[in-house]
Amino acid sequence: MSSASETLPRARPVRTVVRDGAVALTLFSIGHFLVDIYSGSMGIFQPLLLNRLGISLTQAGLLGGLLAFSSSITQPLYGYLSDRYRSRLFSALAPAVAGVFIAFLGASPSYRSALLFAALGGVGVASFHPQASAWAAVGMKRNRARWMSVFITSGTLGIALSPAFYSTFVGMFGFQRILWTALPGVLISIALLAWVRPPEDVHRRSRSFDWAPFRAVWRPMTILYCGVFFRSAVQVTYAQFLALYLYRERGYTLAAAAWALTLYLTAGAIGGFAGGYIADRFGARRVILLSFALSVPFMVVFFLTDGWWSVPSLAVGGLILLFTIPVNVVVAQDLAPTQAGTVSAFLMGFAWGAAGLIFIPLTGWVAQRTSLHTALFALLVFPLLGWWLAHYLPHELGRRKEGARV
């Protein structure tokens, strides 16, 4: 007769759990960095494609909007599928798919082919984010906001370095070798397939989608979503048009415009990383209010001045604006923990993509009739709307809990 100890599953040693969690977090963070380098390519591709393909600002906006739709709007679908089927292929193959098709986008011989490759490259970006954000920090049992900020900041940093990466690569090797930029994505996909397995509890969870967790927290979830949408209206559109604006209307060289965009986005990446630590200490609601309120004055200085402090002021505004990136995701996952992939997709993908789909083409259309300066400056109304709306979040939202977890 077997003993009880023989019939019960053995608990894994804590060190093994921590080690596996650290490996998964590291590989997912590298994957996030590369996937978002690819997704951020449009910021530097637009000036180049504008000249090479002879497209208008409106067409450039439509191209950026399509990439936003394919890479972000569809994320809830992949979040649902990854919560339903739990296959690691959603995240493991994504960097390779994104890298290959975004590389083809850069080398597109026509506007139609550019549209096709933007749509296909976005599929890789969209399939990665929901599952990776749900699994990246699952093995880290304490300070999840901090570990989630590592994962999210790696992606924001990828977006930040994307303009400098592509402008440097094209300057050194030319568009004829742009396909080589897909190689890092292919390599990290191989590593994810080799070393990352689904979390232990994945196969024990329900495979059906459950609306009940969302109905129970619909009010704070809706406010969080709207806040991300308002923030993304600025962040996504600036990432797409800032280099073009500096190049065409402020007289920057293309290289200088790319580095200015990189500075702005890098500051945002730092802000996202810092936001997780600040939220662990002071609470999510305070961080969200602070982020919206303090970012606008610095960005206004950028548009109203031309001195040496202009671009650094924009960078400081971007840093503050992105405090809330990890905060929103962790709070939303805590509100509906059984649907983490879908929640992450709505907060990281759908809201981001919806803002891009609407405001990237709209900004291009407005700029065609006025100027990029006017169109981009007008977007600063949205952080003010976010600040107003954030006052309706519950005061206890994301307050510090045991283990300093948001």
Side-chain angles (χ1 to χ4, degrees), residues 35-47 67 102-103 105-106 158-159 162-163 166 239-240:
V35 164
D36 280 3
I37 274 188
Y38 299 137
S39 71
S41 61
M42 194 63 71
I44 197 63
F45 281 0
Q46 277 184 328
L67 180 59
I102 293 298
L105 168 63
I159 294 177
S162 184
Y166 280 105
Q240 294 284 326

Side-chain angles (χ1 to χ4, degrees), residues 245 250 299-307 309-310 373 377:
Y245 163 60
R250 287 209 178 185
M299 293 185 168
V300 169
V301 169
F302 165 72
F303 284 104
L304 297 184
T305 65
D306 286 320
W309 56 82
S310 180
H373 181 92
F377 193 15

Side-chain angles (χ1 to χ4, degrees), residues 172-342:
M172 293 178 64
F173 304 108
F175 264 115
Q176 65 271 20
R177 293 185 175 88
I178 197 71
L179 289 180
W180 283 103
T181 60
L183 182 60
V186 173
L187 293 177
I188 197 63
S189 283
I190 294 172
L192 286 165
L193 288 169
W195 287 306
V196 173
R197 297 291 180 269
E200 283 191 337
D201 65 336
V202 156
H203 299 293
R204 296 196 297 268
R205 296 177 186 173
S206 170
R207 289 177 177 264
S208 61
F209 183 79
D210 185 8
W211 280 106
F214 290 96
R215 287 195 295 268
V217 294
W218 70 269
R219 181 182 173 88
M221 195 73 77
T222 300
I223 296 173
L224 287 172
Y225 172 84
C226 291
V228 174
F229 179 82
F230 291 147
R231 185 196 69 218
S232 300
V234 175
Q235 182 67 11
V236 177
T237 309
Y238 281 21
Q240 294 284 326
F241 282 111
L242 184 62
L244 187 61
Y245 163 60
L246 294 172
Y247 176 64
R248 287 180 58 133
E249 297 187 11
R250 287 209 178 185
Y252 283 52
T253 65
L254 185 58
W259 280 104
L261 176 58
T262 291
L263 174 64
Y264 167 69
L265 295 173
T266 301
I270 296 170
F273 184 77
Y277 283 84
I278 297 171
D280 276 338
R281 184 170 181 83
F282 297 107
R285 187 177 183 274
R286 290 180 182 176
V287 171
I288 293 170
L289 286 166
L290 178 72
S291 174
F292 283 130
L294 295 186
S295 60
V296 173
F298 289 99
M299 293 185 168
V300 169
V301 169
F302 165 72
F303 284 104
L304 297 184
T305 65
D306 286 320
W308 63 266
W309 56 82
S310 180
V311 171
S313 180
L314 176 69
V316 173
L319 182 149
I320 298 172
L321 183 65
L322 266 66
F323 275 170
T324 59
I325 286 186
V327 178
N328 286 324
V329 174
V330 171
V331 169
Q333 288 181 352
D334 281 349
L335 288 172
T338 62
Q339 307 295 327
T342 306

Side-chain angles (χ1 to χ4, degrees), residues 57-145:
L57 284 173
T58 302
Q59 288 176 307
L62 289 172
L63 184 61
L66 177 62
L67 180 59
F69 173 82
S70 180
S71 64
S72 301
I73 289 289
T74 59
Q75 281 193 30
L77 171 63
Y78 292 103
Y80 166 75
L81 293 174
S82 65
D83 281 340
R84 174 72 173 81
Y85 295 106
R86 316 294 182 180
S87 170
R88 64 194 175 117
L89 297 182
F90 287 101
S91 54
L93 294 181
V97 173
V100 169
F101 286 111
I102 293 298
F104 277 117
L105 168 63
S108 297
S110 68
Y111 184 62
R112 288 185 179 181
S113 64
L115 291 170
L116 174 64
F117 293 136
L120 294 175
V123 169
V125 178
S127 66
F128 178 83
H129 283 87
Q131 187 176 82
S133 61
W135 290 5
V138 75
M140 317 306 287
K141 302 304 180 183
R142 294 171 59 87
N143 300 323
R144 277 186 57 232

Side-chain angles (χ1 to χ4, degrees), residues 13-63:
V14 174
R15 289 184 180 178
T16 302
V17 173
V18 172
R19 183 191 64 205
D20 291 349
V23 169
L25 177 65
T26 300
L27 291 178
F28 277 127
S29 295
I30 295 172
H32 198 192
F33 174 77
L34 292 172
V35 164
D36 280 3
I37 274 188
Y38 299 137
S39 71
S41 61
M42 194 63 71
I44 197 63
F45 281 0
Q46 277 184 328
L48 297 170
L49 293 174
L50 208 72
N51 293 331
R52 191 158 59 86
L53 301 181
I55 60 178
S56 67
L57 284 173
T58 302
Q59 288 176 307
L62 289 172
L63 184 61

